[in-house]
Every structure is written in C-alpha cells, then in structure tokens.
C-alpha cells in the first residue's frame, strides 16, 4: 500500500496541515488506548470488585518497568528513523527498523522471563498485601506471557507512524482496543475468568494489532519495509536508539519507583482501599496525559525531519502549536476532575469507601494539571531534536528532584492527603524548570544563527 503521504512533505507542507494529519491520528489512537484502560478498570471494578481494583493498582510499578524497556527501543528508533528520513538516508532508516525488531524481541523475552520467575516477591515489594496478591498475580502472569507480542506491536506501530503512515498507526490502535473492549466483558462476565480474563483479552487484542503491523512492514510497497540482508545489529544504530530512548526509559523507570513509594505510603496510612483509589486517579490522569503524548507523537516526525533538514523556523512553529494544544488538553482534564470528581470515580466502583477516597485524591492531584500538557510537550521536543541529555534531565527532575522528596516528607505530616499533595507540587515546579530550559535553548540557537549571519 502507498504511504499516507510522502515523508519528504514534512519539510514542505504547512505545519498546521501536517499536525492535523500526523497528530490527530496519534491523538485518536492514544485516546482509544487510554479509554480502553479506563473501560478495562470499570469492567474489573464492577465485574470482580473493589479489591481487584487495588490489586490492579499494585501492578502499576511492574507495568511501568515493562513499558520503560519497550520505550527505550520503540521511541528511540522512531525518532532516529524520522531524522534519517529528513536527511534522505533511507538505507539507515531501514536498518533502524530491523535493529528495532531484534532488540524488541530479545528485550521482551528476557524481561518477561525474569519478572515471571520472581513475580510474587516483586508484587509484595510493590505494595501488595495478602488480600490483593491473588488479583495482581493473576493479572501479571498473563501480561508477562504476552509481553513479546505487546513489545513488537507497540514498537513497530511507533515506527510505522514515524515513517509516513500515521493513519495506519491509528487504525492498528483502534483494532486492538475494539477487540479488547469486545472480548474483555465476555472473558470477565460470561466466562467468569475474573481479572485474568481482562489480561487475556489484552493478549488477544495485541495479537490482532501485531498481525496488522507486520503485514504493513512485510509489504514491499511500504516506504520502509523488512528486507533480506538488513537483520544485522549495528553498534552505531543501537547507541543512537538507546541514547534517544533513554529519556522515556528513565521517565518510566522513575515512574516505577514513584508508584512503589506511593503504594507503600498509601498502604501505611490508608490501606488497600487507598491504593485502589490511586489506581482510579492514575487512570484518569493518564487518560489526558496519553492524549498529550499522542500530540507529541505526531509532532515528533515533523520536528525530527525539519531539524534534520535545518528548517528551524518550521521546528519552532510546530513547537508553538504543540504548547498551545498540549495546555488545552490538560486544562480540560483539570476542569473535569475539579468540577465533577464524584461522577468520574463513580464509573469505576460502587463501593462507598473507595468512592470517597478516590474523589478526594482526584481533586487534589489535579490541582495544577493545566500546566502538565505544556511540560510534556517541552520534554518531548528536546527528545525529538536529539537533545537527549536535556530531555532526560527534564524527565527526571519532576520525578527524582521534586516528586519523590515530597512523597518521602509530606505523608509523615498529612498522611494520605500528603501523598495526594505531592503530585501538584512536583508538577508545578517541573513546569517552571522546563520553561527555563526551553528559553535558554532558543537563546543559544538565536545567538549561533546571529554569528553565522555575521560571518
């Protein structure tokens, strides 16, 4: 099949048109995926019970760790491939595809095997109790078995979007979510498979998505496709992938550490129901955060291509659009969480205790959510232009420098409320640092361009 558009048009078409063409499918795809997680939690909450919601929340650190390793390869390879295509180096872009395929497969098998062997100790360490362990274990055992399929699907889907096929990437995400939403209630309610059934539905859906993506990359008409002679690891390509992918990898690794601390604090001051409440709050915050990430996924090939082609005016224009729309997305989330928190958390459970704790947590943790979208866009911007050190710093500053210290101090004085308050304090501070970094970067760029013109 022909590509959605020639990737070289990234350097000529109007930025607004390109953002609609690239970001809108990515936003739709990420929204669909996020809604699946929300709907899946709703199925589990009403089909299995409030304790199952808590068990699901316990798995978040392990899920973040698994995602960290997949984004190390998936995001890094997508960024590198778009930069190579901006330089019109199609051969290296093709080599990136094959290196990513090998790395995703090997990485997923190793991570899944180790995690499966030590699953119970890991879950206890991540905040599980004797009541929530059976639910967490049942869910993660299935997830780890299907992990190689999920790795390949997510990583290759990112590459498909970055190499000129945003609509097809959106369709693949839609397929997986549609299958999941159809199969999950059958497994949970009809076949009575409980939380394990929810994980099995994910496996079925991810398999359908992988078949679709593989069909695309096996098609010789695809702009970048699988070819004989390219399945060989390149040290230079691997270093480049890991360098760019290190930012989201460290971000997700820090998220793992953060959730471990959150679960430990909530278990100490609020028990299993408080952990379950965080599971609900986390789903809602992630819903809007993933929409912003969809926006940045669409921005990434535009910024990467034009940065590689030295079209800095188009890079800056894309960033301006991204900051505006990113801020709008999380502002909508802020308003919803503050004005109708009871309606939102009521979708997940009918447990009075869980409802009350979740409602309070959602409102407090969303206090400065309106700036989060812009902070994400700035961080992803540096990643898209290959400035991995700055991107890594911005990713880690929110987690390590601000969020974790708050989590280690505020709960000692304010209990569960201290846990909820830690996030807005970290988000607000991280936003200020991100803006300073962005202004400093463009000041340096302007100074260099001025020197070139004078020379």
């Amino acid at each position: 099949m022909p590509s959605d558009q020639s990737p070289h048009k990234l350097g000529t078409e109007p930025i607004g048109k390109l953002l609609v063409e690239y970001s809108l499918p990515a936003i739709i795809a990420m929204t669909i995926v996020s809604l699946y997680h929300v709907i899946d939690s709703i199925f589990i909450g009403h089909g299995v019970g409030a304790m199952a919601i808590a068990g699901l929340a316990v798995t978040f650190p392990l899920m973040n760790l698994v995602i960290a390793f997949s984004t190390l390869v998936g995001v890094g390879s997508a960024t590198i491939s778009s930069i190579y295509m901006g330089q019109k180096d199609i051969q290296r872009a093709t080599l990136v595809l094959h290196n990513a395929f090998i790395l995703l497969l090997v990485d997923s098998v190793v991570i899944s095997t180790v995690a499966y062997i030590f699953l119970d100790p890991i879950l206890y360490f991540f905040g599980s109790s004797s009541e929530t362990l059976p639910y967490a274990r049942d869910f993660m055992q299935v997830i780890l078995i299907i992990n190689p399929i999920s790795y390949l699907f997510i990583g290759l889907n990112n590459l498909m979007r970055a190499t000129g096929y945003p609509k097809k990437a959106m369709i693949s995400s839609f397929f997986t979510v549609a299958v999941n939403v159809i199969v999950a209630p059958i497994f949970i309610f009809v076949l009575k498979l409980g939380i394990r059934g929810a994980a099995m539905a994910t496996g079925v859906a991810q398999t359908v998505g992988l078949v679709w993506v593989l069909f695309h990359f096996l098609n010789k008409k695809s702009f970048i496709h699988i070819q004989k002679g390219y399945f060989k690891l390149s040290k230079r390509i691997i270093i480049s992938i890991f360098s760019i992918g290190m930012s989201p990898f460290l971000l997700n690794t820090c998220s793992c550490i953060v959730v471990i601390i959150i679960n430990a604090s909530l278990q100490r001051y609020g028990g299993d129901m408080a952990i379950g409440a965080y599971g609900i709050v986390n789903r809602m915050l992630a819903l809007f955060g993933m929409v912003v990430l969809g926006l940045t996924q669409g921005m990434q090939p535009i910024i990467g291509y034009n940065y590689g082609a030295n079209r800095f005016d188009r890079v800056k224009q894309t960033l301006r659009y991204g900051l505006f729309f990113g801020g709008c997305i999380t502002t909508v989330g802020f308003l919803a969480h503050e004005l109708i928190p009871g309606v939102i958390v009521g979708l997940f459970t009918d447990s009075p205790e869980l409802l009350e704790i979740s409602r309070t947590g959602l409102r407090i943790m969303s206090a400065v959510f309106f700036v989060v979208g812009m902070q994400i866009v700035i961080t992803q911007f540096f990643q898209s232009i290959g400035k991995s050190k700055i991107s890594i710093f911005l990713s880690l500053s929110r987690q390590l420098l601000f969020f974790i210290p708050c989590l280690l101090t505020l709960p000692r004085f304010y209990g569960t409320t201290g846990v909820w308050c830690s996030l807005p304090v970290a988000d607000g501070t991280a936003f200020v640092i991100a803006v300073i970094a962005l202004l400093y970067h463009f000041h340096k760029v302007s100074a260099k361009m001025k020197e070139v013109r004078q020379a």
Side-chain angles (χ1 to χ4, degrees):
M1 293 178 63
S3 64
D4 296 328
Q5 67 169 37
S6 170
H8 299 306
K9 291 184 178 180
L10 292 168
T12 58
E13 293 282 355
I15 295 298
K17 179 181 178 182
L18 288 172
L19 271 177
V20 171
E21 186 165 357
Y22 273 76
S23 286
L24 188 58
I27 288 172
I28 293 173
M30 297 300 281
T31 302
I32 292 171
V33 172
S34 298
L35 284 175
Y36 151 68
H37 289 301
V38 170
I39 294 171
D40 203 39
S41 295
I42 292 173
F43 287 152
I44 293 172
H46 291 285
V48 188
M51 195 59 67
I53 288 286
L56 184 64
V58 169
T59 69
F60 287 172
L62 184 53
M63 294 288 284
N64 283 335
L65 192 59
V66 169
I67 292 172
F69 283 96
S70 66
T71 55
L72 176 64
V73 179
V75 174
S77 59
T79 301
I80 293 299
S81 64
S82 64
I83 292 176
Y84 281 149
M85 292 176 72
Q87 298 170 346
K88 296 180 173 57
D89 193 340
I90 306 304
Q91 185 177 4
R92 281 187 179 173
T94 303
L95 188 59
V96 170
L97 166 64
H98 293 73
N99 274 249
F101 189 99
I102 297 171
L103 292 173
L104 287 166
L105 188 59
V106 173
D107 186 18
S108 61
V109 171
V110 172
I111 295 300
S112 298
T113 301
V114 173
Y116 196 96
I117 293 173
F118 300 101
L119 185 56
D120 278 14
I122 290 173
L123 292 175
Y124 273 124
F125 179 72
F126 287 168
S128 181
S129 67
S130 58
E131 288 78 15
T132 58
L133 179 64
Y135 298 104
R137 181 201 297 127
D138 285 350
F139 185 80
M140 283 309 305
Q141 282 179 338
V142 178
I143 292 297
L144 291 173
I145 290 173
I146 66 170
N147 197 38
I149 294 174
S150 299
Y151 260 51
L152 286 174
F153 166 65
I154 295 172
L156 295 180
N157 202 49
N158 283 336
L159 271 169
M160 185 162 65
R161 179 183 298 106
T163 53
Y165 299 84
K167 292 179 182 177
K168 292 185 73 172
M170 177 191 69
I171 292 172
S172 62
S173 296
F174 177 79
F175 278 165
T176 57
V177 173
V179 171
N180 209 318
V181 171
I182 293 172
V183 175
I186 296 175
F187 285 0
I188 295 173
F189 296 104
V190 179
L191 300 180
K192 306 294 183 183
L193 295 175
I195 197 170
R196 188 182 291 270
M200 292 172 64
T202 298
V204 173
Q206 297 285 344
T207 301
V208 172
L210 179 58
V211 170
W212 167 265
V213 174
L214 285 177
F215 179 80
H216 164 80
F217 281 113
L218 289 171
N219 190 335
K220 294 182 179 180
K221 294 182 179 179
S222 298
F223 196 79
I224 299 294
H225 56 273
I226 294 175
Q227 304 178 43
K228 291 182 178 179
Y230 280 87
F231 276 110
K232 51 185 178 181
L233 293 176
S234 164
K235 182 179 179 179
R236 180 177 179 181
I237 294 293
I238 293 174
I239 292 175
S240 297
I241 289 174
F242 285 173
S243 175
I244 299 299
M246 189 59 64
S247 174
F249 170 78
L250 292 176
L251 178 61
N252 281 288
T253 301
C254 284
S255 295
C256 171
I257 297 172
V258 165
V259 178
I260 292 173
I261 298 173
I262 289 175
N263 285 348
S265 296
L266 292 175
Q267 185 65 256
R268 179 179 180 181
Y269 297 106
D272 290 330
M273 284 298 99
I275 293 178
Y278 173 69
I280 293 175
V281 173
N282 182 271
R283 288 300 194 209
M284 293 310 303
L285 295 177
L287 172 61
F288 291 94
M290 291 289 276
V291 175
V292 178
L293 286 177
L295 171 68
T296 61
Q297 283 184 3
M299 292 171 56
Q300 179 265 317
I302 302 171
I303 291 176
Y305 185 100
N306 285 284
Y307 187 80
N310 294 322
R311 294 294 308 275
F312 301 118
D313 56 327
R314 292 173 63 82
V315 171
K316 293 176 69 174
Q317 187 179 359
T318 306
L319 175 62
R320 284 194 293 268
Y321 278 118
L323 289 172
F324 174 77
F325 289 112
C328 288
I329 291 167
T330 50
T331 297
V332 171
F334 164 77
L335 293 174
H337 297 166
E338 297 299 329
L339 297 177
I340 53 171
V343 175
I344 293 173
V345 299
L347 297 172
F348 294 86
T349 180
D350 51 11
S351 167
E353 181 183 2
L354 187 55
L355 279 169
E356 181 60 32
I357 300 174
S358 301
R359 182 165 53 241
T360 301
L362 184 61
R363 295 191 69 176
I364 296 176
M365 295 192 87
S366 301
V368 298
F369 197 52
F370 51 89
V371 303
V372 171
M374 291 180 282
Q375 194 270 340
I376 294 174
V377 169
I378 294 173
T379 301
Q380 296 301 311
F381 164 75
F382 284 111
Q383 177 183 300
S384 297
I385 63 173
K387 301 292 184 180
S388 57
K389 292 182 180 179
I390 301 177
S391 182
I392 289 172
F393 170 74
L394 293 178
S395 298
L396 295 184
S397 64
R398 175 181 177 272
Q399 307 276 21
L400 292 180
L401 299 183
F402 312 130
F403 199 9
I404 290 179
C406 287
L407 285 172
L408 294 176
T409 55
L410 293 182
R412 296 183 180 182
F413 301 98
Y414 305 106
T416 302
T417 302
V419 178
W420 303 141
C421 290
S422 298
L423 183 61
V425 172
D427 283 339
T429 310
F431 171 70
V432 173
I433 298 299
V435 170
I436 293 173
L438 183 65
L439 293 175
Y440 178 71
H441 169 75
F442 279 115
H443 175 73
K444 288 181 61 178
V445 171
S446 297
K448 288 183 179 180
M449 292 180 66
K450 185 178 181 180
E451 290 178 2
V452 172
R453 285 194 298 267
Q454 291 177 345

